[in-house]
Amino acid sequence: MTSFDRLMQHVVAEQDARDERAELDRVRDRLREGRPAGRRRTRPRWQAPLVAAAVSAAAVTAVLGWRALAGDPLTFRVGESGAEGVVGQWIAARSTDVALRFSDGGEMTLLRGTRGRVVSLEARRAEVLVESGRLGARIVPGTGVRWRVVVGPFDIAVTGTRFEVYWAPDEDDFELVLHEGGVMIAGCAFGAGYPVRAGETVRASCAPHRFEVSRPPTDPSAAPAEPARAGPAPEGEPEAAEPPALAEPARAATARADGASAEGFEAECRRAGAARLIQLGDTARFGGRLDQARHAYLTLRRRFPQRPEAADAAFRLGRMEFDQRHAYAEAASWLAAYLRERPGGALAQEARGRLMEALHRAGDRDGARRAAGAYLASHPGGPHAKLAALLAQGEKPGE
Amino acid sequence: MSSPSRSPSSPPASPRPADVVRLPLVTDAALVAALRAGRPEAPTALFDRYGSWVRRVLLRILGPDPELADLLHDVFVAAYESIDRLEDPARLRQWLTSIAVFSARARIRRRQRSRLLVFPWADAEAEAVTGPADAEMGEAVRCVYAVLDRLPERDRTCFVLRFLMKMEIGEIAGLLEVSHATAKRRVAAARKRFDGLAARQAALRPWLEEGGEP
């Protein structure tokens, strides 16, 4: 045996050292779920002409034929560059938020510090996994795509909706804020499935199995909301006194994530550095406390006007005004501020795209046309290019 | 394939009805007949018998790959859908292998296309899904993957079938649907290219010193 042969043996041994059982079990389950045993042959063969036509004598054609029957699989693009995403590839939002834009119009954002991946994308089914951190999602309804977002041990089935989800595995802390639509959560405390309604915030833990549902306060200064619904403690967990934080999930999550109480938020902003202020603002924003988020970002801009984070704060203010307050004129101001301060910044492409759209939505047609021209000049192949082309020609895109 | 979940000594798993069905499908021909007849237990039996093998084929060709499970799933869905096209039921294993090989080749081409793009945030993650952990040998194995990743898809497939899977030239020719001579030529070319690239890797040079046969 040559050295080369031994090297090949090592490669094989290394491959075989990987435990295959879990993977095989998972695929086996998927096959069973997606294809109930025996169903295919219960129909007469003439009822499956597409299948018969798609499979050829060659096995490769069979594979391709099967894929063709399913339709074109979804695709997605990642981040500001709009680079084509790779299914299965881990994506770590290390220093900034990372947006995933899907070909059906849906969008997900991995907030800074979040790690996840797109597990599978098919024509009618998509699965995204969040290992840890916070993910914001806007799923387009009516596309026929069944979305599944797996967050640690929790499994969220989605049709069309907008939500944010947070998972801290070390703290066994799950939170879902559902802005629109409805989702079904399964796993751990939720068992086979639990429906969540728009406006509800769900917090859960896996050990012990427990969850609680509440409507977050719209006014951050308001008293904590009454828990609307509470989940069972199926393993005999006593319905013991919940820590006060559980009555107000968003605030509690923020306090825990930040190491600061809600009451001390402003004091924390006074002490915090620029990066910390971004973190405080982000956490508040995704906890639904927009006033606190705004306070943190504005504090950053006032105290650290020369730091790059000041421009980032402007971008975040713009995005918050755009997405959450729908105050498009104000959003445009902030986005323009970002572009003035960091015209070549990492967020410039998205800022130009959003600025153009914000101006359009605010009714500023001339401004939108100019912004569209600037966008096309800077990012002719960018994700907003089609919209930019329409706006640059003075056309009104469909909403 | 023997499944640990069905071992009497294993801890109780969540009940899965088909797990407890004992199939009298001893031969591949019987299994194919059951699939064609639509017997409900047959798809699971097919996977239980060949899931591990097909996974191994995919793994050999692709190396560690985050889409491995999806590809494995796809191979079996394709097999279910086209089982009627299998002319010789006794060749079920070879037929599944050919589907796996073609699926893996398509995956390699996709990977090579996507590698042209830059995912700066994903660089560190690639390490987590590729390569073993131990140091010296691990480095050599990692370099093998690195070299394989630089081979054109056709060369990589030929190389893996011959040198990792130890397939005979005739078998490779059958899988790739080429003549025996063509398969032999491709294997030789793949080996030559691999050696050329491997010689640039310090961790691999010692393994190439004695040469070897293609």
Side-chain angles (χ1 to χ4, degrees):
Chain A
M1 178 182 287
T2 66
S3 295
F4 174 81
D5 291 332
R6 283 195 292 277
L7 176 62
M8 294 299 106
Q9 277 189 347
H10 282 299
V11 174
V12 168
E14 187 275 326
Q15 290 181 348
D16 290 345
R18 294 164 189 271
D19 186 6
E20 66 175 17
R21 284 174 299 179
E23 196 166 57
L24 288 171
D25 285 347
R26 201 164 62 245
V27 174
R28 193 170 185 271
D29 289 344
R30 276 180 61 190
L31 285 165
R32 186 180 291 127
E33 288 167 11
R35 182 171 185 68
R39 175 183 294 178
R40 190 174 71 88
R41 291 298 167 214
T42 58
R43 67 189 179 209
R45 291 182 185 186
W46 57 266
Q47 286 187 1
L50 290 177
V51 172
V55 294
S56 72
V60 62
T61 313
V63 175
L64 296 175
W66 173 76
R67 286 191 180 282
L69 282 173
D72 290 336
L74 295 174
T75 59
F76 71 108
R77 294 189 174 275
V78 183
E80 296 303 310
S81 65
E84 187 178 342
V86 178
V87 171
Q89 179 76 63
W90 284 105
I91 300 170
R94 292 201 182 92
S95 56
T96 185
D97 302 347
V98 175
L100 311 180
R101 295 185 178 83
F102 295 88
S103 53
D104 71 339
E107 183 171 332
M108 295 189 181
T109 302
L110 301 176
L111 276 299
R112 190 171 56 176
T114 300
R115 186 179 140 98
R117 64 188 172 115
V118 176
V119 176
S120 68
L121 280 182
E122 298 171 11
R124 299 285 177 189
R125 189 170 58 178
E127 181 177 337
V128 173
L129 181 145
V130 177
E131 185 184 65
S132 64
R134 186 174 288 272
L135 173 134
R138 182 179 59 80
I139 304 295
V140 179
T143 61
V145 178
R146 289 170 55 201
W147 284 88
R148 182 180 172 208
V149 178
V150 178
V151 185
F154 300 96
D155 196 331
I156 305 169
V158 187
T159 48
T161 187
R162 192 165 63 84
F163 66 90
E164 286 147 24
V165 65
Y166 170 79
W167 169 238
D170 294 343
E171 299 170 34
D172 190 19
D173 186 11
F174 169 89
E175 181 182 272
L176 180 136
V177 182
L178 184 59
H179 299 294
E180 297 170 4
V183 301
M184 181 77 77
I185 311 180
C188 277
F190 302 101
Y194 182 87
V196 183
R197 298 191 289 260
E200 290 183 336
T201 295
V202 180
R203 280 193 62 202
S205 63
C206 217
H209 285 193
R210 175 179 294 171
F211 73 93
E212 183 158 322
V213 184
S214 67
R215 288 182 171 272
T218 53
D219 179 352
S221 64
E226 289 289 324
R229 296 184 279 168
E235 294 178 355
E237 285 292 326
E239 288 293 340
E242 300 282 1
L246 280 178
E248 191 188 7
R251 179 174 299 184
T254 304
R256 189 173 42 263
D258 295 343
S261 69
E263 291 73 20
F265 188 84
E266 291 187 10
E268 175 71 7
C269 286
R270 283 194 295 274
R271 289 192 300 269
R276 174 80 171 142
L277 281 163
I278 285 281
Q279 186 185 20
L280 284 167
D282 286 354
T283 311
R285 177 162 58 99
F286 288 101
R289 296 176 304 112
L290 302 186
D291 287 349
Q292 286 195 347
R294 183 182 173 86
H295 178 82
Y297 297 143
L298 289 175
T299 301
L300 194 165
R301 288 183 61 77
R302 189 181 65 250
R303 291 180 52 208
F304 305 101
Q306 304 303 321
R307 291 284 298 267
E309 288 90 344
D312 292 346
F315 177 85
R316 283 165 160 76
L317 283 161
R319 185 168 55 185
M320 189 170 73
E321 297 298 340
F322 191 115
D323 288 342
Q324 278 136 333
R325 293 190 195 273
H326 308 295
Y328 299 113
E330 193 158 350
S333 305
W334 284 119
L335 293 164
Y338 173 86
L339 288 167
R340 274 195 309 275
E341 293 167 21
R342 297 194 72 193
L347 303 169
Q349 182 177 2
E350 185 170 350
R352 287 195 178 93
R354 281 180 175 265
L355 172 62
M356 169 182 71
E357 194 172 350
L359 289 167
H360 168 66
R361 287 176 184 250
D364 183 353
R365 298 185 103 190
D366 289 341
R369 190 160 51 236
R370 284 194 300 274
Y375 183 92
L376 288 172
S378 302
H379 318 287
H384 291 82
K386 285 184 181 174
L387 175 65
L390 287 173
L391 292 175
Q393 293 165 11
E395 294 183 26
K396 185 178 179 182
E399 294 291 333
Chain B
M1 182 189 79
S2 65
S3 169
S5 66
R6 282 189 294 284
S7 165
S9 61
S10 63
S14 56
R16 295 188 299 188
D19 279 353
V20 298
V21 174
R22 288 294 177 191
L23 290 166
L25 304 175
V26 179
T27 65
D28 282 351
L31 183 51
V32 170
L35 284 164
R36 288 175 173 167
R39 282 176 55 178
E41 71 277 26
T44 303
L46 177 70
F47 185 78
D48 285 350
R49 185 171 297 178
Y50 287 113
S52 183
W53 164 252
V54 170
R55 178 186 174 279
R56 206 174 309 147
V57 172
L58 294 170
L59 182 60
R60 293 281 186 270
I61 298 175
L62 296 170
D65 188 300
E67 282 194 24
L68 195 72
D70 290 338
L71 288 168
L72 179 59
H73 174 268
D74 290 356
V75 167
F76 278 88
V77 171
Y80 298 156
E81 294 290 353
S82 54
I83 191 70
D84 291 340
R85 315 293 297 187
L86 173 61
E87 291 179 2
D88 180 1
R91 294 182 57 80
L92 178 60
R93 176 179 156 124
Q94 289 92 326
W95 181 70
L96 286 169
T97 305
S98 71
I99 299 176
V101 167
F102 280 104
S103 297
R105 295 181 69 181
R107 168 64 180 151
I108 291 170
R109 289 192 288 271
R110 282 202 307 278
R111 276 199 324 208
Q112 288 175 340
R113 281 197 298 272
S114 65
R115 203 171 294 130
L116 298 174
L117 301 166
V118 179
F119 295 89
W121 50 84
D123 288 351
E125 317 310 331
E127 195 178 337
V129 295
T130 60
D134 53 326
E136 192 174 339
M137 194 61 242
E139 180 58 21
V141 172
R142 262 191 293 273
C143 287
V144 169
Y145 286 130
V147 171
L148 290 176
D149 283 344
R150 296 185 61 188
L151 290 179
E153 173 272 311
R154 194 175 74 181
D155 285 351
R156 178 183 183 132
T157 304
C158 289
F159 182 91
V160 168
L161 294 178
R162 179 72 186 100
F163 298 110
L164 284 182
M165 301 195 70
K166 304 294 182 192
M167 285 187 180
E168 297 298 329
I169 295 293
E171 196 175 357
I172 295 171
L175 282 172
L176 302 184
E177 296 177 332
V178 297
S179 70
H180 189 282
T182 300
K184 189 173 181 181
R185 193 169 58 249
R186 286 186 183 176
V187 166
R191 174 63 192 272
K192 186 177 177 184
R193 193 164 287 171
F194 177 91
D195 285 353
L197 291 169
R200 299 179 200 169
Q201 304 271 348
L204 292 182
R205 275 185 219 121
W207 299 93
L208 302 173
E209 285 170 357
E210 293 176 23
E213 55 88 32

